[in-house]
Amino acid sequence: MSVSHTLLALLEPGPRHGYDLKRAYDEQFGQDRPLAYGQVYSTLSRLLRNGMVEVAGVESGDGPERKRYTITDSGVTDVETWLGTPESPEPYLQNTLYTKVVLALLSGRSANAVLDAQRSEHLKVMRELTKRKINGDLADQLICDHALFHLEADLRWLELTAARLDELAKVVR
């Protein structure tokens, strides 16, 4: 995910402090990976340098000065372009699991054991995601569905590969 574009888009409704941006980001997108304060401020600094945001005001208090940031017209254009650009589908043409299966076959180890261990791990994560989905709000449900669909595709690949192991062994040896 593009943190800079996300912060820009969170600034569109109006000026915010870095703390407010972090909180909004974490509420919407950071359930599994909250944004670090350092990343918020380094991203804001870069956006400021690139003319995507500007300082809308500075407030003094007991601690350090608090800057309020606002998005510029260039920032709005950048967000519009980013939102309108489709994400590139990520085909997994060379993945670690396939490599492990081939290496197990080449070394005389059990490729079935590799596939079984992976299947078990996938099912464990799927159970956790299903529990999270059942107890979650709509955002959590959608995020979990996305992950579950990917894991289901992986499981189909595991089953297909297990069914073709003898054939694969002949090809790689």
Side-chain angles (χ1 to χ4, degrees):
M1 178 185 334
S2 170
V3 173
S4 58
H5 285 113
T6 305
L7 294 182
L8 278 174
L10 289 172
L11 279 172
E12 278 196 279
R16 291 184 176 198
H17 297 97
Y19 174 83
D20 297 327
L21 284 169
K22 180 203 174 348
R23 190 175 66 228
Y25 180 98
D26 288 351
E27 284 173 5
Q28 294 298 323
F29 314 108
Q31 292 89 347
D32 296 320
R33 280 189 176 165
L35 202 55
Y37 282 106
Q39 187 173 7
V40 171
Y41 292 107
S42 65
T43 302
L44 285 169
S45 177
R46 190 171 44 260
L47 291 169
L48 185 62
R49 185 177 63 247
N50 294 336
M52 301 293 167
V53 299
E54 57 191 18
V55 176
V58 177
E59 298 169 8
S60 300
D62 293 337
E65 292 181 333
R66 292 182 41 166
K67 296 178 184 173
R68 246 183 19 256
Y69 296 89
T70 189
I71 190 169
T72 64
D73 290 340
S74 295
V76 170
T77 300
D78 198 49
V79 168
E80 286 174 0
T81 301
W82 178 66
L83 289 174
T85 304
E87 290 297 310
S88 179
E90 298 290 333
Y92 299 107
L93 296 178
Q94 276 296 338
N95 74 28
T96 305
L97 184 54
Y98 173 77
T99 302
K100 286 182 173 185
V101 168
V102 170
L103 292 173
L105 290 171
L106 289 173
S107 69
R109 292 182 177 94
S110 171
N112 267 318
V114 172
L115 294 171
D116 287 345
Q118 192 62 52
R119 186 180 303 106
S120 176
E121 190 64 22
H122 269 61
L123 291 171
K124 177 181 136 203
V125 171
M126 289 176 80
R127 283 189 295 274
E128 292 167 1
L129 286 168
T130 301
K131 190 181 300 182
R132 176 176 165 182
K133 177 182 167 180
I134 290 169
N135 297 321
D137 60 11
L138 180 59
D140 241 10
Q141 292 169 13
L142 291 170
I143 288 167
C144 290
D145 280 339
H146 185 262
L148 285 165
F149 292 150
H150 282 273
L151 291 169
E152 285 173 11
D154 288 348
L155 282 177
R156 287 194 311 268
W157 181 87
L158 290 167
E159 294 304 319
L160 179 65
T161 303
R164 294 180 171 172
L165 272 180
D166 291 338
E167 205 177 323
L168 182 60
K170 292 175 190 170
V171 173
V172 299
R173 286 188 184 147

